[in-house]
Every structure is written in C-alpha cells, then in structure tokens.
Amino acid sequence: MNNNSKKNIEYKNLSCPKCKSNSIKKDGKRKTENRGSIQRYKCKKCNHRFVQDNGFFRMRNNPQKITLCLDLFYRGVSTRKIQEHLSAFYPHNSNNSNIYRWIVKYSKKISQFTDNLKLQIGQEIQLDEMEYSRRKYPNKKGVDKNWFIDCIDTKTRFMVSSEFVSGREQKEIKQVLKKAKFKTEEQVKIVTTDGLMAYPNAIQNVYGFSNKTHKVNVIHNQVNASKGEGFNIMIERLHNNIRQRTKTFRGFHGSIESANLIMKGFEVYYNFITKHLALGKCPYELATELKLNSENKWLELIDLSNKQQSPNKSY
C-alpha cells in the first residue's frame, strides 16, 4: 500500500469544520496539562486548523478520570465522596459540582446515541412507575411528587425506555411507550402492567386498535397485586436496584430535566456497563448488535456517540 492510500484511510472520516473539505494534513500537536498531546490538523484548501473531537473537547481533565467518576457515581458513590477519592490519586483535583456536571453532560450524550439503537427483544415488556418526592424549586416550601416510568424486556432484561416526569397520566405513559415502540418496532405482543387506570388507554393509543379483531394490537396483561394477582417480578427487581442507588440522593432537588438525565445515565449503566446477575452478561449483548470491546465501556460509548454527533472542532 502506497503512502497516498494510507493517508486516505487515515483521514477518510475527517473533514474541515469550516469549508467541509476532506483535503487535510497533520499540523503538529497541542500540549495540555492534563490530557497530554492532542493532534492538530490543517485544511489544505482554506488553511483552517482544527482538532478531532473525541467527546472531551476543551475538557480540562483526561477521559479516564471523567469516566471513572461516571462509573463510581452509578455504582453508589456520592459526588463528594468521589471528590475525596480523586484527591488521593490525582494531583489536579475536581470539585464535586464539576463531577455532577460531567454526569449530566455525558449521560445526555450517551443516551442520545443509545436511544436510537434498534433492539432485538422478546414479545413481552413490563411497564411500571416509581414515585419520588422532590423539593420544590427554587426556594419554595413543600415537595412535589414526581415519577420514574420505565419498561423492561422480559427476555433480555433490557430497559427499553424510561422517563423521569412530573406525573403518571396518559401523556407521560405514552411518552415512554412511544420510545419503546420506536426501538422495538413490531416485536412487542404483550404489555404487562399493574392496575393503574391510565395504562389501558395509553397502550391502545400507542399500539393502535384493530377494527377487524376489535382488540388492541397488543395484549394488555394487567397484574393487580392488591387483588392477589402477584407481582411483575422482573421490573420490580429492577426497581429494587434503582431504589438502592437513588435512596442516597436525598431527593432530586434540581430541575425535572437534570433528574431525568441522571436517570438516563442509570439506564445506560444498567443496560451497557454492569452485568446482570441472572444473565451473566450485560443486557445489551442480547438485545443489540453493538459490540463493546474495551474494559472502559463508558469511554467507548462516549466515542461512539461523539462520532454520530460532531466529529471535528475548531481550535
């Protein structure tokens, strides 16, 4: 292979952010205190200099440190405890508020990528909600009741969709179901819920009603625990894991949006990072065609999400 062919392969995914030209070359490196040397590129057409964005553009801490904080947080360590941990191992320490911002930023970034993955799941999903009390914001007395609504595939244990919302009426339930339908297409045949009255109409609205059979296009299996009909064990088991992590949050005292992003990060952690005890592997390995080869799956997911969104930045 000649040198020109090698250059074409090396630069085939890069383009100038200014003129969009693919005619570029390496142009030295930029030294940073905490991220090492970063390769610069120069456009041969317009002479614009830029760097390839790997998801950590203008971040003042290295990717390993940032993803370490993400992993520790979702494994049950508070942001202040993470800060204490960093002070023992990293000379350039970070404030707990910075760690919180990393969690929100990268939870949003990764979830924008994972929410667009098509799933290969079984025929049944279980749908349920969890109640959370959130202090009124800003500087108001009392608490607001909020809800975490989610659904899980019974075959792969993959959390298909979730939302942290202010209510559990049909509007919020349909929001979760629409995302589930988008990701699973026509695979779902059974939707199992508890006895909440808002579920039947929401399911009919999202999955449709057949005029031929005079039935909803999916079977709505309602399990009412108060009538002795048992529990939806798989999603209740998931909720036990979520409660174990969120009980130390002392409530979501910020906005609904930030609380939702934190829970999106937990969805990523559950589906892609930690192994399911019953399955012996991560749910994504059964439900998607995605292959994550690195031990640091957070870093690999950030890289994949970044390639999908914005590959290059000006410097």
Side-chain angles (χ1 to χ4, degrees):
M1 183 181 294
N2 56 42
N3 291 332
N4 290 332
S5 298
K6 290 181 179 179
K7 288 182 179 180
N8 290 335
I9 293 173
E10 185 177 1
Y11 301 150
K12 66 179 181 179
N13 293 323
L14 295 180
S15 61
C16 175
K18 187 175 181 180
C19 70
K20 308 302 179 184
S21 172
N22 292 321
S23 180
I24 61 175
K25 66 177 182 178
K26 289 183 178 180
D27 191 46
K29 293 185 178 182
R30 180 177 180 269
K31 292 183 179 180
T32 62
E33 183 179 356
N34 298 299
R35 292 178 59 199
S37 297
I38 300 174
Q39 180 68 55
R40 274 198 182 109
Y41 298 94
K42 186 176 182 179
C43 178
K44 295 179 182 179
K45 186 176 180 180
C46 67
N47 293 324
H48 182 67
R49 301 172 77 197
F50 64 95
V51 298
Q52 186 178 16
D53 181 14
N54 63 350
F56 300 91
F57 182 68
R58 292 196 183 278
M59 298 298 287
R60 297 186 178 182
N61 289 272
N62 66 62
Q64 287 73 24
K65 179 180 177 180
I66 293 172
T67 51
L68 168 69
C69 293
L70 290 171
D71 197 67
L72 287 174
F73 178 78
Y74 286 109
R75 292 185 189 277
V77 185
S78 70
T79 55
R80 293 186 184 276
K81 290 295 183 182
I82 294 173
Q83 179 185 348
E84 293 178 10
H85 171 81
L86 294 179
S87 65
F89 297 96
Y90 289 90
H92 178 70
N93 197 15
S94 300
N95 188 273
N96 66 289
S97 61
N98 289 334
I99 296 169
Y100 169 79
R101 283 190 285 272
W102 296 344
I103 293 164
V104 171
K105 174 180 179 177
Y106 289 105
S107 293
K108 179 179 180 179
K109 190 177 188 69
I110 297 172
S111 63
Q112 286 175 342
F113 166 70
T114 56
D115 280 349
N116 288 310
L117 293 174
K118 295 298 184 180
L119 305 180
Q120 298 171 354
I121 64 168
Q123 294 187 342
E124 180 186 2
I125 59 173
Q126 292 185 356
L127 177 68
D128 203 359
E129 76 288 335
M130 301 170 61
E131 180 183 340
Y132 282 95
S133 295
R134 188 175 64 91
R135 189 169 63 212
K136 290 185 177 180
Y137 181 84
N139 302 324
K140 294 182 180 180
K141 295 182 179 180
V143 295
D144 282 330
K145 284 187 177 181
N146 300 137
W147 303 88
F148 179 68
I149 307 174
D150 62 320
C151 59
I152 185 176
D153 169 42
T154 58
K155 180 181 178 182
T156 63
R157 309 296 200 277
F158 193 92
M159 193 191 301
V160 180
S161 65
S162 68
E163 290 292 331
F164 189 94
V165 288
S166 57
R168 56 168 180 172
E169 304 301 323
Q170 290 187 40
K171 176 184 175 182
E172 291 81 13
I173 294 170
K174 285 191 290 185
Q175 189 177 347
V176 176
L177 286 173
K178 284 179 180 178
K179 287 187 176 181
K181 185 178 180 181
F182 168 76
K183 295 164 76 173
T184 61
E185 296 178 335
E186 304 297 326
Q187 299 176 73
V188 175
K189 305 300 180 185
I190 303 171
V191 179
T192 300
T193 70
D194 58 22
L196 183 68
M197 297 300 293
Y199 282 132
N201 287 338
I203 293 171
Q204 177 175 326
N205 184 278
V206 173
Y207 285 96
F209 185 85
S210 174
N211 291 325
K212 292 182 178 181
T213 62
H214 300 287
K215 294 180 180 179
V216 181
N217 290 330
V218 296
I219 298 171
H220 181 199
N221 176 33
Q222 280 192 299
V223 179
N224 197 327
S226 62
K227 295 181 179 179
E229 296 175 356
F231 296 91
N232 299 324
I233 295 177
M234 292 182 185
I235 198 164
E236 294 293 350
R237 180 67 183 89
L238 169 61
H239 286 181
N240 286 340
N241 288 340
I242 297 173
R243 287 286 188 198
Q244 185 177 4
R245 177 62 193 100
T246 58
K247 69 180 180 182
T248 59
F249 284 1
R250 299 178 184 176
F252 293 103
H253 302 320
S255 64
I256 290 285
E257 290 76 16
S258 63
N260 188 43
L261 289 174
I262 290 173
M263 297 306 290
K264 284 291 183 183
F266 185 88
E267 181 182 330
V268 172
Y269 170 76
Y270 173 82
N271 284 333
F272 297 90
I273 307 299
T274 186
K275 289 185 178 181
H276 193 285
L277 292 178
L279 299 175
K281 57 180 67 177
C282 297
Y284 84 91
E285 296 179 70
L286 298 176
T288 73
E289 296 181 350
L290 187 66
K291 304 295 182 183
L292 299 178
N293 301 314
S294 172
E295 288 295 325
N296 189 346
K297 293 185 176 66
W298 288 108
L299 191 60
E300 196 168 355
L301 286 168
I302 291 170
D303 182 57
L304 289 170
S305 62
N306 186 70
K307 288 178 180 177
Q308 185 187 60
Q309 294 161 21
S310 56
N312 308 316
K313 296 289 184 181
S314 300
Y315 236 129

